[in-house]
Amino acid sequence: MKLRIGLGSCGIAAGGLAVLDTLESEIKNRGLDLEVMNTGCIGMCHNEPLVDVIEDDGRVFTYGMVTDKIALQIMEDHVAGGNPVEEHLVSATDKPAAFMDGQVRVALRNCGVMDPESIDEYIKQGGYEALTKCLTQMTPEEVIEEVKISGLRGRGGAGFPTWFKWNATRQAKGDKKYIVCNADEGDPGAFMDRSALEGDPHGVLEGMIIAGYAAGASDGAIYCRAEYPLAIRRLEIAIEQARERGMLGSDIMGSNFSFDMYIKQGAGAFVCGEETALIASLEGERGMPRLKPPFPSESGYWGKPTNINNVETFANIPWIIREGGAAFGAMGTEKSKGTKVFALAGKIKYGGLIEVPIGIPLRDVIYKVGGGIKGDRQFKAVQMGGPSGGCIPAGYLDTPVDYESIMALGAIMGSGGMVVMDETTCMVDIARYFLDFTQKESCGKCVQCRIGTKRMLEVLERICEGQGKPGDIELLEELCVMVREGSLCGLGQGAPNPILTTIKYFRDEYEAHIHDHKCPAKQCKALIEYKIDKDKCTGCTICAKKCPVNAISGDKRQPHVIDEALCTRCGTCIDVCPTKFSAVYID
Amino acid sequence: MGCCCSQGDCNVGQQSGDNIALNLLDDVIAEYRGAAGSLIPVLQKAQDIYGYLPAEVIRYIGRQMDVKPAKIFGVATFYAQFRFSPVGKYLIMLCQGTACHVNGSEKIETALSEELNIKMGETTDDGLFTLNDAACLGCCSLAPVMMINGRAYGPLTPDKARSIIKDIYAKEKEAKEGVEQ
Ligand SMILES: Cc1cc2nc3c(=O)[nH]c(=O)nc-3n(C[C@H](O)[C@H](O)[C@H](O)COP(=O)(O)O)c2cc1C
Ligand code: FES
């Protein structure tokens, strides 16, 4: 028997380290000889901390939301007594969780299964077999051909064919060439790259080394955002281990091919995810994008041919080489092959990371895998593609999730972030939120982006504050065109998308804000009032005590009232009003 | 400790009200001097050492690495990570990502501001806490999330956020009393 605990950032955030302590001390107290293995995130983040009990016959029992108390119970009943603790099981080998149903794991194949800090574990899972195959049996051209057969497209956003970029770098003239891994993952709401790096760092390294062989590069750099300290630490460990085993360094496996790499930490600028800005940042400059061409494959890092791919793109490579490009190409749709990882978050019941064949209907992602909306509320929209993406409304839930279909709706696949929204999310506020983001993150190089995003934000802010004017929607649409056309990189070009899609699908909400001074989702503070239903209020005084600005008054056991002039609309009263009364409402 | 750079006419150290031990940087500079494109890692390590980037440190790096201070300020101000004033012992980064936004990060901000009696971007008078906002921390399915000195906490409620702060205060108080005894 073996225990396994998920210690990705999400597992640790949910209290995984305390559970690990409890398990370990309990093992010691009981004098057991039992290993507790660390692993990355399996994707069921909504159930963290997760503890697996792995029986000697290979059966896996997964416990969710484990607390110290539950950990002790698992030790007592299951480990010592042999009886699984049914009420805390979220999945078992013979009873898999619905969340995992329909998933196909390629990029995430090792996440949450093995110890990411052990190269031996990785090798046991078939790791570095693909590299061995490339170096001993395949020419670089054959490797590129295999990737071409797979149909793999870049997972960083634009969906450009990976083989094409590798080949362009290979064909480019240069005495030195580079492979860069884009681990800047700036899209707020996406975390697949973090999970892949934390859960399977060797998988990404192996993909990069293979790319180096194919493209004729000798050096690799991983540009990882500083907000991911655990990912950086695990990458450092993995690089060190790979060097020790001769998977990195000179003359790898006696093949005459030499390759080494290092990590550079990002410093907190979203635009540095754009490849030319990323290169500027790697070179120690302000991370500002430049016009393409020349593409990085011709002139990139230090002016040398450079191939940049996203983390998830690299993570797919070892699988493709091992299982064959055709096996990858057999999944997905005609134009979008393979699987894609999506990060499900927001108002979804089972949030986490999922990997599914490209082309499955949006409805299946949200209702089958994600379990539907939290609190069984009404689905309103899903935001895909982050700040350059858009909101897809309920009417399009049967759209297949692939690059072309999502683009046709005005959103983008992007890196695969899906933030789900319910009827309590205000779509004008969402547009305002994203413009606030792009306006802050604009590097300032293009006038239209720098000033245009600011003007659009101002208009959205005044609409949310109830100061919107007739004609504001048209003004926004006009500005959107200018910003899109006048911006050099994807940040400015995509910035209008959150506005355009919300106007397109939720125009009535904009109009309600502007003309009726109402926020239908009851979110915009200037347009709502908190009130107490005097028939329901029993005068329990809880809200009056908790109100941070003392805006609520009333005698004990008498209905209370909120002073509109004092109320800051913080929502504390509605949160603390006992559900059996539910006397506070928003008007 | 005054200025430790080798130039005799240097008065960088004396310009400062606080004594900033510039020599703490010498190992970092020795490691990166001459390596092209290493300005950002040097600034990151400097910030690790001092907690922020004091003007003296920026000038010292410029002198030692032969880069104009204006250029260093240009790079440093571009990136959100770099700070130009000291931070508290506990740096709270409250996520402002999309998932956290739709799950009510604003209420967490209100609760933290009230509990600490500071606004976003400020540091408490006792120098213990700084409250900053952060881009997505990558734990979106545990939204709303905050990170304190590199450790993430979620999913938060206003009460949970308050009690995390209270726990740290209690721990600090205990440690202080332990020392005094
Ligand atoms: C504003 C902006 C931000 C971007 N952020 C990222 C990012 O965080 N991660 C990423 O892999 N690609 C990002 N990209 C896309 C990259 O420019 C580039 O297309 C990608 O890294 C190429 O890798 P791929 O072909 O494997 O997708 C961004 C692009 C833009 C315009
Ligand atoms: S949106 Fe807050 S952690 Fe991602």
Side-chain angles (χ1 to χ4, degrees):
Chain A
M1 189 184 272
K2 207 160 66 174
L3 298 182
R4 185 165 64 187
I5 179 162
L7 291 179
S9 292
C10 39
I12 294 176
L17 288 173
V19 173
L20 175 66
D21 276 351
T22 309
L23 290 173
E24 280 181 337
S25 67
E26 191 61 15
I27 289 170
K28 216 158 120 215
N29 289 347
R30 289 173 182 263
L32 297 173
D33 178 26
L34 196 63
E35 185 198 345
V36 189
M37 187 176 128
N38 291 355
T39 190
C41 170
I42 185 87
M44 284 194 273
C45 310
H46 56 279
N47 272 325
E48 294 282 5
L50 288 163
V51 172
D52 292 340
V53 177
I54 307 170
E55 303 274 5
D56 291 332
D57 60 10
R59 282 181 306 154
V60 181
F61 294 84
T62 304
Y63 293 99
M65 299 198 200
V66 178
T67 58
D68 287 349
K69 211 173 122 211
I70 300 173
L72 291 175
Q73 201 183 347
I74 296 170
M75 290 301 296
E76 172 74 27
D77 295 2
H78 191 160
V79 175
N83 298 313
V85 190
E86 292 288 341
E87 72 261 37
H88 298 299
L89 270 184
V90 290
S91 100
T93 303
D94 48 1
K95 246 200 295 175
F99 183 79
M100 303 303 274
D101 227 24
Q103 291 202 44
V104 182
R105 300 208 150 212
V106 175
L108 299 180
R109 61 196 173 278
N110 292 324
C111 289
V113 183
M114 55 154 220
D115 180 350
E117 297 183 9
S118 158
I119 191 170
D120 290 317
E121 283 257 353
Y122 180 66
I123 291 172
K124 222 161 59 193
Q125 303 284 343
Y128 291 112
E129 263 174 33
L131 178 63
T132 313
K133 186 172 167 189
C134 288
L135 295 185
T136 57
Q137 301 168 24
M138 298 170 86
T139 63
E141 288 78 9
E142 284 167 344
V143 175
I144 293 175
E145 184 59 26
E146 201 62 41
V147 175
K148 184 176 179 181
I149 292 171
S150 77
L152 175 66
R153 296 168 65 171
R155 299 302 193 227
F160 206 73
T162 302
W163 75 272
F164 190 92
K165 296 205 321 196
W166 289 19
N167 193 46
T169 310
R170 172 152 200 90
Q171 302 299 333
K173 287 198 181 55
D175 49 346
K176 198 170 174 82
K177 294 176 186 176
Y178 293 97
I179 299 292
V180 173
C181 174
N182 188 342
D184 199 40
E185 193 159 62
D187 169 7
F191 50 101
M192 56 284 292
D193 294 351
R194 169 186 68 73
S195 198
L197 294 169
E198 287 178 1
D200 188 17
H202 282 288
V204 180
L205 297 197
E206 189 179 355
M208 286 180 71
I209 306 169
I210 292 172
Y213 176 68
S218 58
D219 285 72
I222 305 175
Y223 188 87
C224 186
R225 63 198 293 250
E227 286 87 343
Y228 291 174
L230 187 61
I232 292 171
R233 207 177 72 224
R234 293 204 171 139
L235 275 172
E236 281 166 353
I237 295 172
I239 290 176
E240 205 42 55
Q241 290 173 339
R243 279 196 196 121
E244 272 167 25
R245 299 296 175 94
M247 306 294 181
L248 278 176
S250 53
D251 195 17
I252 300 173
M253 295 181 208
S255 64
N256 246 336
F257 166 66
S258 302
F259 191 82
D260 210 338
M261 63 170 83
Y262 57 90
I263 305 168
K264 278 224 174 169
Q265 285 190 37
F270 170 69
V271 71
C272 287
E274 197 281 334
E275 51 194 17
T276 58
L278 187 149
I279 289 170
S281 182
L282 276 177
E283 292 171 352
E285 302 289 332
R286 291 163 70 95
M288 292 167 117
R290 62 158 174 80
L291 207 59
K292 292 184 280 192
F295 290 96
S297 57
E298 303 154 65
S299 172
Y301 193 24
W302 301 122
K304 305 287 182 197
T306 302
N307 175 70
I308 300 191
N309 281 123
N310 165 261
V311 170
E312 190 188 330
T313 312
F314 283 125
N316 280 307
I317 296 294
W319 193 94
I320 289 172
I321 298 295
R322 230 171 49 206
E323 310 290 329
F328 191 82
M331 296 179 283
T333 63
E334 200 199 323
K335 285 191 177 151
S336 311
K337 300 290 185 197
T339 57
K340 173 82 192 85
V341 183
F342 294 100
L344 274 180
K347 303 287 181 79
I348 187 101
K349 206 176 264 173
Y350 304 136
L353 274 193
I354 61 163
E355 183 167 1
V356 290
I358 296 182
I360 81 165
L362 200 45
R363 185 184 301 280
D364 287 2
V365 173
I366 292 179
Y367 284 93
K368 278 207 185 129
V369 184
I373 311 303
K374 250 191 224 169
D376 289 321
R377 288 184 204 259
Q378 195 77 34
F379 170 89
K380 185 170 190 177
V382 55
Q383 210 285 343
M384 280 192 72
S388 312
C391 291
I392 301 173
Y396 294 91
L397 271 175
D398 291 311
T399 308
V401 184
D402 63 52
Y403 291 93
E404 284 74 24
S405 309
I406 298 299
M407 188 102 82
L409 297 180
I412 57 168
M413 280 269 266
S415 53
M418 287 192 178
V419 181
V420 176
M421 296 159 188
D422 67 12
E423 77 245 21
T424 65
T425 316
C426 169
M427 302 316 278
V428 187
D429 176 66
I430 288 298
R432 184 204 58 77
Y433 166 80
F434 278 112
L435 261 291
D436 183 55
F437 183 91
T438 37
Q439 183 262 322
K440 281 181 188 146
E441 296 295 340
S442 167
C443 78
K445 185 167 181 165
C446 308
V447 178
Q448 274 85 342
C449 176
R450 179 178 72 235
I451 299 172
T453 53
K454 177 99 182 134
R455 291 289 96 85
M456 294 196 289
L457 174 63
E458 285 164 1
V459 175
L460 289 164
E461 277 176 345
R462 78 170 175 242
I463 298 177
C464 288
E465 278 157 17
Q467 315 283 325
K469 300 181 210 151
D472 272 353
I473 299 180
E474 292 70 24
L475 175 60
L476 280 173
E477 285 171 332
E478 197 181 317
L479 285 165
C480 282
V481 175
M482 286 189 223
V483 172
R484 169 175 292 159
E485 289 179 353
S487 301
L488 177 154
C489 88
L491 189 143
Q493 288 162 6
N497 288 347
I499 304 181
L500 291 174
T501 51
T502 46
I503 292 181
K504 182 168 163 197
Y505 300 119
F506 300 97
R507 198 182 183 100
D508 52 334
E509 271 189 54
Y510 278 85
E511 284 167 351
H513 281 73
I514 297 171
H515 303 301
D516 312 332
H517 300 282
K518 287 271 176 221
C519 173
K522 303 193 190 310
Q523 282 296 308
C524 293
K525 284 185 173 174
L527 302 177
I528 55 170
E529 278 177 30
Y530 281 86
K531 288 189 176 154
I532 295 176
D533 185 337
K534 60 180 188 309
D535 296 330
K536 288 186 180 166
C537 179
T538 59
C540 74
T541 75
I542 293 180
C543 61
K545 283 197 193 111
K546 287 272 182 176
C547 176
V549 291
N550 294 322
I552 305 179
S553 57
D555 292 330
K556 241 189 203 162
R557 298 207 191 82
Q558 293 301 316
H560 282 43
V561 280
I562 301 176
D563 183 342
E564 196 45 44
L566 292 177
C567 174
T568 58
R569 296 163 182 92
C570 69
T572 305
C573 48
I574 210 165
D575 290 342
V576 300
C577 181
T579 32
K580 59 183 176 207
F581 306 137
S582 296
V584 185
Y585 66 99
I586 304 174
D587 192 21
Chain B
M1 218 177 298
C3 172
C4 304
C5 61
S6 50
Q7 280 128 328
D9 60 351
C10 172
N11 59 357
V12 162
Q14 282 90 46
Q15 284 177 349
S16 152
D18 326 318
N19 277 331
I20 289 172
L22 292 170
N23 63 337
L24 294 178
L25 263 179
D26 289 346
D27 286 348
V28 176
I29 289 172
E31 187 187 338
Y32 287 99
R33 202 195 317 251
S38 55
L39 183 54
I40 294 172
V42 170
L43 293 176
Q44 284 168 330
K45 296 208 166 160
Q47 183 157 291
D48 284 345
I49 294 173
Y50 302 103
Y52 70 110
L53 294 177
E56 292 89 326
V57 167
I58 289 183
R59 281 194 286 268
Y60 184 65
I61 292 173
R63 206 182 322 258
Q64 294 294 307
M65 299 194 54
D66 204 16
V67 189
K68 288 201 170 62
K71 156 110 193 193
I72 305 183
F73 276 108
V75 170
T77 50
F78 184 84
Y79 295 97
Q81 187 187 26
F82 297 117
R83 300 178 292 262
F84 304 96
S85 51
V87 284
K89 181 169 172 190
Y90 296 93
L91 177 61
I92 307 173
M93 304 211 296
L94 181 64
C95 178
Q96 307 287 340
T98 323
C100 291
H101 178 75
V102 302
N103 277 312
S105 57
E106 205 188 330
K107 283 185 183 172
I108 310 298
E109 181 181 335
T110 312
L112 288 172
S113 290
E114 272 170 27
E115 190 63 38
L116 296 165
N117 217 350
I118 50 174
K119 287 204 277 295
M120 188 58 88
E122 295 179 348
T123 302
T124 52
D125 289 340
D126 56 11
L128 267 188
F129 290 95
T130 298
L131 178 59
N132 273 355
D133 51 15
C136 171
L137 298 169
C139 299
C140 321
S141 33
L142 297 173
V145 180
M146 67 174 167
M147 204 182 247
I148 303 184
N149 291 358
R151 171 169 173 348
Y153 296 83
L156 296 173
T157 58
D159 279 345
K160 216 152 136 193
R162 280 199 179 92
S163 78
I164 291 167
I165 302 296
K166 285 193 181 114
D167 285 351
I168 296 177
Y169 263 126
K171 210 176 75 197
E172 281 293 322
K173 204 169 149 216
E174 213 171 273
K176 214 167 134 199
E177 279 163 5
V179 171
E180 278 165 10
Q181 268 165 18

